[in-house]
């Protein structure tokens, strides 16, 4: 899509708005610093792509509560062709795909005049727009990668609800909220500019992995020396995407296609010299995955299997060739012209560009090809001006259990279960969503030591409605920083640390060990909160200081600065003791909740209006001993 004017930069530069004028779209290779490449796409976006959920009458119109499992209840079948509420975007997209394939096939008929590069690239295009490659002849690769949305999913209703686009296989035995179409766990990535990712390798200087295709670098490119081609081999046989039962089915269908002659013309007649079994059509119309005891259901001789495999490689390499072609990954924007010395940026654009490369340091992750010029004082990892560095900083993001994919948890009519939602904790297989014993919950709720990160994230999302907000490591790192700040400010003087019972006890214990001065402890206790998540508003001192603090440096140590009632009250009381100085350290600050005007001198983390537990903080006196700070959702049972 073409974007002119202000570009809000993602990732580390999220809050910076830079005035530049470049055309861009999202690069989806697999990297976190994923943004902007400078293409002038011919946008053929249909007029009617936007429609509210309410208008469909089908999608859930109510807000989606966070962290509840598969809460996006969308009647997918009704939005698809033939459904009661066929979505206009879907119809437009299908028409676009049919037309594009027809035009590409017309070019195939004239392909003998093309050079080899254009032949291969054209072949890739015909494959990508071919719905016949899917078992039910209903989706093409392009269904999830259309040009008018930057080669991602082209159906706004699914972008807005299910995130992932439906695959090719309906589920006829689903009961809501189980989806009635198989669909995957993520929004399709754009493949534009992705083919420029190098083969996965380790860069010792940067201490990071580079390259590979897809967000988790799964397509390394090592086998075919082409990460994009290896990635293209996944979706045709992914049960929640196209759903072929065997890669040989894709090869067989290509052998039946109008572009088969282009394949043999490029790679030779052996491409389809395969003895296909008599039942190949029946098998290939059956959705995958294959049964465990028959992993390659198209039964071929060893040599024929090898031929089929190598033709499948060629099919994928042609797709990758098309993806890297100027149809998909052009270098035709004003910014490209500027880099080539054929255009100049306006004063405003130049300001933005200098900010991007200079003070804002955006180009440390979104490489703009300027790492070695005078605009940038920091050396970037690479200078390829693709606005990405081809690393994979997204790895480890928690699963979003609201996605319908996590409801594909019982066998469909083909016996396939997309997600078992089973996780392994303490050697037990636990089903997400099943009631768990309280003992178990408390232990697992917020990352006990020894569990893997993934398990921990999953476990925290179990029915109990908990999710980690700050891990013990993040807390430790921040407390160490706060300790260093306090040490510096005290300039060698003594300190009395006054903890507010009970919530601040763990924080005080850790902070005290991070402060490198002569410190003593005291404690006060106030009552402010009742037994739930709501404050009574009243603050009352129920335990006073043990020792006088007159003439001393006092630091009030509090878990959360919320409405400010507690700390205002305590500050007033302690000031009556005439300390030499009085400062406040609050691990968490919820500025949006403030009633009394008060700020802490040292704040660990500033958070929105969320109710948190763990690391000393309680809910009705429970959860104080969780080692991480967790979120408690409003629908948590009182
Ligand atoms: P304030 O007087 O409203 O600033 O409240 C401060 C006290 O409220 C803290 O010391 C906590 O004990 C309690 N509090 C505020 N927010 C939370 C929360 O999210 N979780 C647990 N306790 C909280």
């Amino acid at each position: 899509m073409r974007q002119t004017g202000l570009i809000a930069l993602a990732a580390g530069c999220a809050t910076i708005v830079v005035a530049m004028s470049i055309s861009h779209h999202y690069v989806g290779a697999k990297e976190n610093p994923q943004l902007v490449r400078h293409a002038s796409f011919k946008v053929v976006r249909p007029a009617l792509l936007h429609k509210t959920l309410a208008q469909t009458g089908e999608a859930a119109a109510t807000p989606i509560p966070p962290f509840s499992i598969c809460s996006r209840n969308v009647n997918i079948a009704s939005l698809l062709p033939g459904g009661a509420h066929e979505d206009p975007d879907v119809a437009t997209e299908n028409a676009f795909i049919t037309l594009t394939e027809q035009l590409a096939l017309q070019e195939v008929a004239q392909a003998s005049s093309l050079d080899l590069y254009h032949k291969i690239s054209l072949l890739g295009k015909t494959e990508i727009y071919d719905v016949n490659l899917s078992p039910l002849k209903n989706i093409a690769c392009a269904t999830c990668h259309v040009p008018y949305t930057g080669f991602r999913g082209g159906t706004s209703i699914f972008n807005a609800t299910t995130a992932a686009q439906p695959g090719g296989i309906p589920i006829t035995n689903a009961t809501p909220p189980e989806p009635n179409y198989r669909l995957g766990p993520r929004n399709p990535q754009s493949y534009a500019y992705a083919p420029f990712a190098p083969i996965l390798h380790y860069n010792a200087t940067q201490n990071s992995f580079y390259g590979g295709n897809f967000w988790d670098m799964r397509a390394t490119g090592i086998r075919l020396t082409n990460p994009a081609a290896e990635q293209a081999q996944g979706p045709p046989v992914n049960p929640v995407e196209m759903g072929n039962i065997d890669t040989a089915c894709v090869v067989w269908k290509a052998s039946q296609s109008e572009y088969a002659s282009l394949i043999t013309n490029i790679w030779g007649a052996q491409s389809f010299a395969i003895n296909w079994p008599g039942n190949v059509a029946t098998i290939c119309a059956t959705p995958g995955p294959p049964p465990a005891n028959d992993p390659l259901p198209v039964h071929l001789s060893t040599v024929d299997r090898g031929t089929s495999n190598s033709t499948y490689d060629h099919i994928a390499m042609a797709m990758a060739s098309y993806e890297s072609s100027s149809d998909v990954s052009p270098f035709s924007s004003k910014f490209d012209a500027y880099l080539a010395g054929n255009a100049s940026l306006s004063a405003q654009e130049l300001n933005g560009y200098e900010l991007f490369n200079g003070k804002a340091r955006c180009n440390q992750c979104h490489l703009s090809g300027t790492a070695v010029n005078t605009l940038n004082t920091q050396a970037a990892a690479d200078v390829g001006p693709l606005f990405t560095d081809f690393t994979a900083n997204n790895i480890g993001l928690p699963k979003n259990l609201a996605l319908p994919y996590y409801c594909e948890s019982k066998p469909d009519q083909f016996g396939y279960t997309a997600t078992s939602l089973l996780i392994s904790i303490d050697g037990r297989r636990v089903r997400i969503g099943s009631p768990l014993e309280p003992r178990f919950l408390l232990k697992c709720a917020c990352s006990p030591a020894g569990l893997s990160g993934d398990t921990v994230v999953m476990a925290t999302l179990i029915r109990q409605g908990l999710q980690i907000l700050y891990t013990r490591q993040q807390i430790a790192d921040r407390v160490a920083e706060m300790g260093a700040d306090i040490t510096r400010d005290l300039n060698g003087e003594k300190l009395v640390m006054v903890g507010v019972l009970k919530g601040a006890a763990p924080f005080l214990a850790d902070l005290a060990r991070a402060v490198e001065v002569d410190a003593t402890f005291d404690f006060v206790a106030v009552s402010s909160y009742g037994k739930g998540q709501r404050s009574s508003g009243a603050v009352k001192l129920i335990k006073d200081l043990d020792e006088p603090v007159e003439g001393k440096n006092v630091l009030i140590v509090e878990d959360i600065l919320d409405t400010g009632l507690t700390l205002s009250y305590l500050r007033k009381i302690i000031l009556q003791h005439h300390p030499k100085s009085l400062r406040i350290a609050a691990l968490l600050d919820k500025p949006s909740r403030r009633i009394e005007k008060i700020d802490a001198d040292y704040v660990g983390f500033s958070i929105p209006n969320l109710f948190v537990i763990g690391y000393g903080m309680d809910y009705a006196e429970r959860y104080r001993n969780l080692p991480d700070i967790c979120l408690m959702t409003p629908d948590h049972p009182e």
Side-chain angles (χ1 to χ4, degrees), residues 486-487 489-498 515 517-522 548-557 574 577-584 602:
I486 295 165
T487 308
D489 293 349
L490 280 167
N491 206 13
E493 294 191 22
K494 290 184 183 176
L495 178 68
V496 182
M497 301 179 78
V498 177
V515 174
V517 294
D518 186 352
T520 56
F521 301 168
D522 207 334
V549 292
E550 189 174 343
K552 297 181 178 169
N553 294 307
V554 175
L555 180 71
I556 305 179
V557 180
I574 294 178
H577 292 266
H578 304 296
K580 178 178 179 191
S581 68
L582 178 61
R583 292 193 178 94
I584 295 171
Y602 309 96

Side-chain angles (χ1 to χ4, degrees), residues 38-304:
H38 26 92
S40 301
F41 287 122
K42 286 194 194 75
V43 176
V44 287
R45 188 170 171 75
L48 184 55
L49 286 186
H50 288 291
K51 197 161 61 132
T52 65
L53 299 185
Q55 278 173 292
T56 70
E58 292 298 324
T62 46
I64 297 156
F67 316 126
S68 49
I69 294 165
C70 47
S71 53
R72 298 188 183 177
N73 179 8
V74 181
N75 184 343
I76 295 162
S78 78
L79 301 165
L80 296 178
H85 300 277
E86 185 179 354
D87 186 90
D89 283 5
V90 176
T92 305
E93 189 182 58
N94 285 341
F96 177 82
I97 288 169
T98 307
L99 180 65
T100 308
E101 181 70 349
Q102 279 169 2
L103 295 174
L105 288 172
Q106 283 172 19
E107 285 184 61
V108 167
Q110 332 259 309
S112 54
S113 62
L114 295 176
D115 61 41
L116 184 59
Y117 169 77
H118 287 96
K119 274 185 190 166
I120 295 177
S121 175
L122 173 62
L123 172 61
K125 183 174 186 179
T126 54
E127 292 164 356
I128 279 177
Y129 282 88
D130 184 4
V131 293
N132 293 321
L133 292 183
S134 58
L136 306 185
K137 301 181 193 284
N138 55 354
I139 62 167
C141 301
T143 305
C144 289
H145 303 278
V146 278
Y148 52 78
T149 54
F151 297 96
R152 310 185 82 207
T155 311
S156 53
I157 186 110
F158 296 125
N159 287 335
T161 55
T162 57
Q165 309 281 307
I169 316 299
I171 301 176
T172 54
N173 62 344
T175 43
E178 297 156 3
N180 51 20
Y181 250 81
R182 290 188 197 166
L183 76 181
R186 59 177 74 82
N187 205 321
Q189 72 173 43
S190 170
Y191 53 49
Y193 304 103
F196 299 107
I199 296 171
L200 183 64
H201 64 282
Y202 184 70
N203 181 319
T205 314
Q206 296 292 327
N207 269 330
S208 193
F209 284 96
Y210 280 75
N213 198 301
F214 210 66
W215 288 310
D216 57 6
M217 302 164 147
R218 74 178 67 160
T220 63
I222 290 168
R223 196 175 68 82
L224 296 178
T225 62
N226 187 333
E230 289 183 15
Q231 171 55 31
Q233 297 190 318
V237 285
N238 184 338
V240 292
E241 296 183 61
M242 209 175 246
N244 280 292
I245 201 164
D246 189 330
T247 56
C249 288
V250 181
V251 176
W252 177 73
K253 288 168 191 170
S255 77
Q256 309 292 302
S257 72
E258 286 182 52
Y259 51 83
S261 58
L262 195 51
I263 294 181
T264 49
N265 177 287
I266 296 167
W267 278 291
Q270 86 298 333
S271 298
F272 299 125
I274 294 168
N275 286 314
W276 298 107
N279 60 356
V280 66
T282 313
I283 290 174
C284 292
T286 310
N293 61 0
D294 189 12
L296 299 170
V298 179
H299 296 157
L300 300 173
S301 70
T302 320
V303 171
D304 282 347

Side-chain angles (χ1 to χ4, degrees), residues 500 528-529 535 539 558-567 590 593 610-613 617-618:
V500 186
S528 59
Y529 267 60
S535 167
V539 183
E558 172 67 310
D559 53 0
I560 301 192
L561 174 50
D562 186 21
T563 62
L565 292 168
T566 309
L567 279 171
K590 298 189 205 170
R593 293 255 308 151
L610 301 165
F611 196 84
V612 293
I613 50 174
M617 289 165 285
D618 73 312

